Amino acid sequence: MTPEDTRPTPVILVLGADYRDAMVDVLTQRYSVDYEIIAPSTMEETIEVLTDLRTGSRPVALAACEFFAEGEKATHLLAKFQKFMPSARRLVYVPVDRFRGSVAQLRESLAEGRLDLYLMLPQGARDEEFHTAISETLSDWAQSASYSEIDGTRIIADGPSPDLARIRDFLDRMGLPNTVHAPDSPAGVAALAAAGPDATLPLLQAPHDDYLLSNPSNADLGAVLYGRPADIGEEAICDLVIVGAGPAGLGAAVYAASEGLDTLIIDQGPIGGQAGTSSMIRNYLGFPRGISGMRLAQRARSQAVRFGARFLAGQEVTALRVGDGPDGCHVVELGGSSVRGRTVLIATGVDYRRLGVEPLEDLVGRGVNYGAAASTSREVKNKDVFVVGGGNSAGQAAVHLSRFARHVTILVRREGLGATMSSYLIREIEGNPRITVRPRTVVTDGGGEGHLEWLTLRDVDSGAEERVDAAGLYLLIGAEPTCQWLPPVVARDDLGFVLAGADTPWQSWQGGRPPEPYATTVPGIYVAGDIRCGSMKRVASASGEGAGVVPLVHAFLAPDAG
């Protein structure tokens, strides 16, 4: 039996008057097997229920409140509940006769982050649109709160470490449920006995299997899922090799594979890239309730696989030999292995810039994290955490962490967030009482006994320093291009971003004309997404650029090309 087997049943809380019973009936028919539906009918009972839930012994997955025609607004009630059940998703349900008059107010509340969704009360049986919204919301809660009942991959570890953080991040972003067990737990004792005396922690045990991995690298983890480069075959020549499996690479993979191109996608980490760490992307076309970066990457990956694309995860590209293969194909080197492609797409994106404070670098994986590190959310429950960065990723991380931490402070060197963050995120942050923005502030020091405990913050203008308690530091700063493996013949700007189209040096133009958009200085090599010089640095634009490369690949591969 795993620790998850003893977890209490999560709660769906229903509040209302005129339509409370109707909402309870609808939810009971679908969700009563997995959730306890509680619907107090009097104010005294409501106070009693809320007092009980406030202890946290039973997690609240969803709080659904009726849109009252008179009296206190439902959004105000939900805002009060947020203080003691912040991880719960907040829903306002609206009867049809009140819907028109509620829309303007509810839209404003959504924009300010005071609720997660509003829905019209179903008017008949099998309202699948209603239930799709509820199911997606409950799924999002379970995933973000790490509240899974699945006995997935077991990780045996003796405490926080950089390797444990890396492994959990890889598994989480690949959508693989996992639980951590101490070496002296029943699961830990059994796994260590099976692994033998030479096992190194963290130790992984695949679900329902005796398959064990001792402190696996990302390449080891990726090989379990997708195989190794040697599995592609030494004689194979792909039509398109995509380096980087973020939105740009996935966008290209879906369109290329769907149009019959032999497509291979390689990434040094899990599928999804930097966007895969985003807890909730709300401005991506077609997802009005938002979608996590992990789920977006999963869906794109499934699409690409359906069309025949192949993946290599956890495999670091070390070099590119231009036109060095048979028939002038390009050779992508991966350490001691290589794969070949008639065309190559560079879609490696960017990495977060290192903070450069040595005592904090020593605590990476022990409270200090580069990126959102959603797997650490529950570890900072009721503690103070800090997010460094002013972009959308930092804003999304802060909103997500506010569901768990006592308080989240965003540190930015600029005067504020307006120049670098989307308006919808700024409004949500401003309306969240658990988040504070501290401008013109940098981190200069920090430490702790085996785990982050404190930080030193410096005011950029006055130079004054302050020591603060901190259980978590999330660094989402800057953009470092990740294409050091490219040869000089692929032109880059002074910062290392790849040049394409009219931005390429005029000396490389053919017949006085620049290359096509997304085409680099080398025929058959393309670039898309954040790694491209001048890119928009947004998920939607990156996936669009990736798709836009595919017609250029077709034209290059055409028999009469050139």
Side-chain angles (χ1 to χ4, degrees):
M1 177 177 288
T2 67
E4 288 69 30
D5 295 325
T6 61
R7 285 178 171 175
T9 301
V11 170
I12 296 178
L13 178 65
V14 181
L15 301 172
D18 300 337
Y19 297 89
R20 183 190 68 252
D21 292 343
M23 185 66 167
V24 169
D25 289 343
V26 169
L27 295 176
T28 299
Q29 291 172 19
R30 289 284 184 106
Y31 309 103
S32 58
V33 172
D34 297 314
Y35 297 86
E36 181 183 0
I37 299 170
I38 301 177
S41 57
T42 66
M43 182 56 68
E44 292 76 12
E45 187 181 353
T46 299
I47 293 173
E48 182 180 345
V49 167
L50 294 178
T51 301
D52 177 53
L53 293 175
R54 191 168 189 168
T55 65
S57 58
R58 287 182 293 172
V60 180
L62 178 67
C65 188
E66 180 181 327
F67 183 86
F68 300 109
E70 298 176 358
E72 189 165 23
K73 295 179 180 178
T75 52
H76 290 175
L77 283 174
L78 290 176
K80 293 179 180 179
F81 300 155
Q82 184 185 16
K83 294 180 180 179
F84 61 90
M85 49 182 189
S87 65
R89 300 306 187 256
R90 292 156 292 152
L91 159 70
V92 172
Y93 62 94
V94 188
V96 65
D97 59 325
R98 299 177 188 169
F99 191 76
R100 174 177 288 185
S102 71
V103 171
Q105 177 187 322
L106 293 176
R107 282 177 178 168
E108 187 71 13
S109 297
L110 274 175
E112 294 175 355
R114 285 187 280 155
L115 71 152
D116 296 293
L117 73 163
Y118 65 90
L119 296 170
M120 187 184 297
L121 194 66
Q123 300 303 297
R126 296 177 297 280
D127 185 341
E128 298 306 332
E129 287 298 318
F130 172 89
H131 288 295
T132 294
I134 295 292
S135 296
E136 288 181 350
T137 300
L138 292 173
S139 177
D140 171 60
W141 170 81
Q143 184 270 326
S144 66
S146 300
Y147 197 89
S148 173
E149 299 291 345
I150 301 172
D151 184 15
T153 301
R154 296 177 179 180
I155 307 173
I156 316 304
D158 54 1
S161 69
D163 281 326
L164 176 60
R166 170 183 58 80
I167 291 168
R168 293 203 72 187
D169 181 64
F170 192 102
L171 295 176
D172 285 343
R173 288 170 59 188
M174 292 298 293
L176 299 174
N178 59 87
T179 52
V180 179
H181 301 262
D184 58 356
S185 68
V189 170
L192 287 169
D198 296 329
T200 303
L201 299 180
L203 178 68
L204 268 67
Q205 183 177 37
H208 315 297
D209 199 343
D210 291 331
Y211 187 79
L212 295 164
L213 289 174
S214 182
N215 193 18
S217 65
N218 283 354
D220 295 330
L221 294 170
V224 173
L225 297 169
Y226 295 113
R228 297 187 182 275
D231 298 329
I232 302 299
E234 293 184 1
E235 302 304 318
I237 301 177
C238 302
D239 292 324
L240 174 62
V241 176
I242 301 170
V243 184
L250 290 170
V254 168
Y255 280 94
S258 70
E259 295 181 9
L261 295 176
D262 184 354
T263 305
L264 173 67
I265 307 96
I266 307 169
D267 200 292
Q268 67 177 359
I271 307 303
Q274 193 179 99
T277 68
S278 295
S279 56
M280 185 58 62
I281 302 169
R282 296 195 184 278
N283 61 348
Y284 191 75
L285 183 67
F287 295 92
R289 289 180 291 274
I291 184 170
S292 71
M294 180 203 76
R295 293 184 184 277
L296 184 64
Q298 280 184 306
R299 295 183 183 191
R301 181 182 72 204
S302 296
Q303 278 182 291
V305 169
R306 179 178 182 178
F307 293 127
R310 292 174 290 176
F311 284 86
L312 290 175
Q315 302 290 337
E316 183 178 2
V317 173
T318 55
L320 172 65
R321 303 204 311 268
V322 172
D324 196 34
D327 299 325
C329 65
H330 307 298
V331 179
V332 178
E333 295 186 353
L334 303 101
S337 303
S338 64
V339 295
R340 296 178 290 180
R342 295 182 176 88
T343 62
V344 174
L345 170 60
I346 305 161
T348 47
V350 296
D351 278 340
Y352 294 116
R353 195 168 63 241
R354 308 302 289 191
L355 184 64
V357 177
E358 187 173 344
L360 292 175
E361 295 293 342
D362 293 338
L363 291 173
V364 171
R366 298 183 177 92
V368 177
N369 306 277
Y370 281 94
S375 61
T376 68
S377 299
R378 298 190 72 185
E379 298 171 9
V380 299
K381 188 174 182 179
N382 299 323
K383 299 176 182 178
D384 295 329
V385 302
F386 292 78
V387 174
V388 180
N392 277 10
S393 295
Q396 291 157 357
V399 170
H400 173 71
L401 289 166
S402 72
R403 295 185 182 274
F404 305 91
R406 178 170 53 208
H407 196 80
V408 181
T409 302
I410 301 176
L411 306 174
V412 287
R413 183 183 289 270
R414 296 173 181 260
E415 297 291 343
L417 303 174
T420 53
M421 190 178 292
S422 293
S423 174
Y424 83 94
L425 267 174
I426 295 175
R427 292 188 65 185
E428 191 167 352
I429 288 168
E430 290 174 345
N432 192 321
R434 288 173 172 257
I435 302 177
T436 298
V437 179
R438 187 163 169 171
R440 305 291 290 162
T441 305
V442 296
V443 179
T444 60
D445 198 5
E449 294 297 324
H451 194 279
L452 179 68
E453 296 174 354
W454 58 271
L455 296 171
T456 297
L457 309 181
R458 176 184 296 163
D459 184 286
V460 172
D461 298 315
S462 68
E465 293 191 337
E466 176 188 3
R467 177 164 163 159
V468 296
D469 293 335
L473 177 65
Y474 297 83
L475 301 163
L476 302 98
I477 48 178
E480 293 277 356
T482 55
C483 54
Q484 299 82 0
W485 48 276
L486 288 174
V489 69
V490 179
R492 286 168 280 175
D493 69 5
D494 294 339
L495 298 176
F497 292 90
V498 178
L499 299 171
D503 291 328
T504 55
W506 64 266
Q507 293 91 339
S508 66
W509 296 8
Q510 299 294 320
R513 299 183 61 182
E516 297 287 341
Y518 315 130
T520 70
T521 47
V522 177
I525 297 180
Y526 306 91
V527 63
D530 289 1
I531 193 63
R532 183 180 67 82
C533 174
S535 67
M536 187 177 172
K537 308 293 188 293
R538 288 291 186 267
V539 173
S541 62
S543 60
E545 288 186 16
V549 166
V550 176
L552 305 182
V553 172
H554 276 299
F556 181 83
L557 296 178
D560 57 350

